[in-house]
Amino acid sequence: MAIYNEASDVSNPRSGLRLSDIPAHDPYVWVDMQAGVYYLYTSGIPTFTGMERYGVLTYRSNDLLEWEGPYVVFTVPDNVWAHPMHGTWAPEVHAYEGRFYLFVTLHNRMRTLEDNNTIPIAKHWRGTAIAVSDSPEGPFELIREDAPVIDPSRMTLDGTLFVDEQKKPWMVYCHEWIQTIDGTIDAAPLSDDLREAIGEPIRLFNASEATWDTGGPAEGYDGKVYVTDGCQLYRKQDGSLLMLWSSYDNGQYVQTIARSESGKLQGPWKQLEPLVHGDSGHGMLFHTLEGELMLILHQPFDMPQSRCKLYLMEEAGEGLTVVKSCEHLHGEL
């Protein structure tokens, strides 16, 4: 039986929604400063939305309090490397060189990979694809249809765009425990048109480098695994470079942060204390129309209970600090 929620029914976009109304996972906000509009992107899951296949949804707001949507901006097409019924994870939209680029992790469980470890989870094609549009409202079309950007033999996820000091684009992404046991965050240089990786990936850090990360069990595996999830880069006003990412601590999803000691993508990366606990994570930072720094993440992890939470942030010390939880924005009416 399908599980529908009026706030995620793509056949009936609504206005006056609160974040507490909207089932959302891996949220991402892009702000149109000129038009005064916030765009919230999240996965379009057929079970919860009435969609016929997986895709990406957006909701719009002028004040972060009331939202309108959902609107479909992307669906997985037929006859491409990914399967339209196998998932869309972690959508992000980036303005780059005059156009808008959707980064979204796609899957094809029918294109299997050889098992490389004793974790009893089937390995298959998974990776971040990039689609392009002339509008943040889509529709977005895949740049390439034959494969994800990173080598499909590497099960990767949650790719994000980073443009370095030389204006060169990179994809920063997670290579998680299913293949590596100890998950990593890696980076690969991209062509200027974002169509392909043009160099070998570099490893930025392992999940286990966070001393607070206790790891966790995996069913059928005799040992601990360490998760990397939801990476995003942020340049502070003093020029230092931070990275948001998520993992698990004692079975709870955690929003954490790292700092590049060189100020460059290549690191080395120093792991800082987590920002938010309580089964919260996969966050991203954005500036409001008024210029305040905000963190959005989802909590709890499981859908359809998962909702967006907003936190007012400020730059402090080596990293960031949470000023307050914005319950007036993400709480119930």
Side-chain angles (χ1 to χ4, degrees):
M1 179 181 294
I3 302 172
Y4 293 103
N5 181 293
E6 290 185 5
S8 58
D9 182 356
V10 298
S11 67
N12 184 31
R14 299 168 56 204
S15 60
L17 297 171
R18 300 289 299 274
L19 289 177
S20 57
D21 298 320
I22 302 171
H25 214 257
D26 301 348
Y28 191 90
V29 171
W30 185 77
V31 186
D32 187 334
M33 290 292 185
Q34 291 186 332
V37 178
Y38 299 97
Y39 290 93
L40 168 64
Y41 299 93
T42 189
S43 299
I45 303 172
T47 306
F48 306 135
T49 64
M51 297 173 69
E52 295 182 354
R53 58 182 63 210
Y54 276 88
V56 175
L57 305 178
T58 193
Y59 295 82
R60 301 189 299 240
S61 175
N62 300 114
D63 57 9
L64 296 176
L65 179 65
E66 293 192 352
W67 296 82
E68 175 185 320
Y71 300 99
V72 179
V73 299
F74 171 77
T75 55
V76 182
D78 292 321
N79 303 315
V80 300
W81 70 267
H83 196 291
M85 296 305 295
H86 290 177
T88 46
W89 291 358
E92 302 186 359
V93 169
H94 299 268
Y96 174 78
E97 296 296 325
R99 304 191 78 188
F100 297 91
Y101 290 84
L102 169 70
F103 284 52
V104 59
T105 300
L106 305 181
H107 314 253
N108 192 331
R109 295 192 294 270
M110 299 175 68
R111 304 188 74 162
T112 59
L113 298 172
E114 182 179 354
D115 270 332
N116 67 327
N117 57 41
T118 57
I119 294 176
I121 297 177
K123 316 302 192 290
H124 61 265
W125 275 35
R126 174 203 286 168
T128 298
I130 303 177
V132 65
S133 175
D134 291 322
S135 167
E137 299 183 8
F140 289 88
E141 296 183 359
L142 291 174
I143 293 178
R144 56 182 298 182
E145 299 180 345
D146 59 325
V149 176
I150 304 302
D151 182 347
S153 69
R154 299 168 63 89
M155 290 186 71
T156 63
L157 70 160
D158 295 359
T160 190
L161 177 66
F162 175 73
V163 180
D164 67 17
E165 300 87 344
Q166 286 73 44
K167 307 300 182 183
K168 297 298 183 182
W170 293 73
M171 181 182 285
V172 182
Y173 60 90
C174 301
H175 190 188
E176 70 169 350
W177 61 274
I178 291 175
Q179 281 188 319
T180 64
I181 300 175
D182 185 0
T184 67
I185 293 182
D186 300 344
L190 300 179
S191 57
D192 289 340
D193 61 5
L194 307 188
R195 181 176 173 82
E196 59 188 350
I198 56 172
E200 288 298 311
I202 59 173
R203 179 171 298 181
L204 303 183
F205 58 82
N206 288 70
S208 63
E209 293 177 33
T211 57
W212 54 265
D213 193 335
T214 58
E219 186 175 352
Y221 176 68
D222 185 19
K224 288 185 175 183
V225 299
Y226 296 84
V227 173
T228 48
D229 192 17
C231 49
Q232 186 212 13
L233 285 299
Y234 174 76
R235 181 78 68 180
K236 292 176 63 176
Q237 293 182 16
D238 65 6
S240 58
L241 183 63
L242 305 178
M243 184 191 300
L244 294 181
W245 66 286
S246 293
S247 193
Y248 286 84
D249 182 29
N250 293 314
Q252 289 280 300
Y253 203 42
V254 174
Q255 178 62 63
T256 191
I257 190 170
R259 177 181 181 273
S260 171
E261 295 191 283
S262 68
K264 299 182 182 299
L265 180 63
Q266 291 79 358
W269 288 88
K270 178 182 179 181
Q271 301 302 322
L272 307 180
E273 289 300 308
L275 293 171
V276 185
H277 292 271
D279 203 19
S280 305
H282 199 113
M284 63 84 57
L285 296 160
F286 65 95
H287 284 97
T288 67
L289 295 172
E290 296 74 31
E292 294 180 314
L293 183 62
M294 196 77 75
L295 168 69
I296 189 169
L297 48 72
H298 69 248
Q299 187 274 331
F301 183 86
D302 290 334
M303 286 285 281
Q305 295 81 16
S306 181
R307 295 292 188 273
C308 296
K309 304 293 183 180
L310 288 166
Y311 296 85
L312 183 64
M313 308 294 292
E314 67 179 12
E315 300 182 5
E318 290 187 301
L320 304 171
T321 188
V322 176
V323 177
K324 66 176 181 179
S325 172
C326 298
E327 295 181 8
H328 63 294
L329 295 176
H330 64 232
E332 296 183 355
L333 286 170

